[in-house]
Amino acid sequence: MLTDETAPLEEVAQAIGRPAAWLKRNWLKLHQREGFPRKIPTGDVWPRRAVEVWLRSAGQIAPAPLPANQNGQSGDAIAAAAAALRQRYGVNT
């Protein structure tokens, strides 16, 4: 009965589209940055309903960023934001 209320590492990893080894290493960062549910302290299992709610609400994991030397022209988000602010407020540089 309780196994239906918990989801093991492999199942959760598959649900978020990542390898189980990645989830095992990064679940805490995912929790801190994206609000991913905390695992149950006794092992690599998560509350099933909490994971389902997270996936439905906003559980979209952003793709890994490109390395700095392969950003291309549109990859510099900071420069693009700065240019948009300069244009919005009429600042000439």
Side-chain angles (χ1 to χ4, degrees), residues 1-50:
M1 180 174 149
L2 290 180
T3 58
D4 292 340
E5 295 183 17
T6 60
L9 174 71
E10 294 80 16
E11 185 178 349
V12 175
Q14 182 180 11
I16 66 171
R18 297 287 184 152
W22 182 90
L23 180 59
K24 190 171 180 95
R25 287 189 316 269
N26 294 293
W27 77 267
L28 185 56
K29 290 178 199 170
L30 191 59
H31 168 71
Q32 293 169 339
R33 295 179 186 159
E34 306 288 334
F36 186 73
R38 291 188 70 88
K39 68 180 187 169
I40 296 172
T42 58
D44 291 327
V45 293
W46 282 261
R48 182 177 302 280
R49 287 190 182 99

Side-chain angles (χ1 to χ4, degrees), residues 71-89 91:
N71 283 341
Q73 292 178 340
S74 64
D76 191 356
I78 295 172
L85 288 172
R86 283 194 299 274
Q87 181 181 9
R88 180 176 181 177
Y89 294 107
V91 176

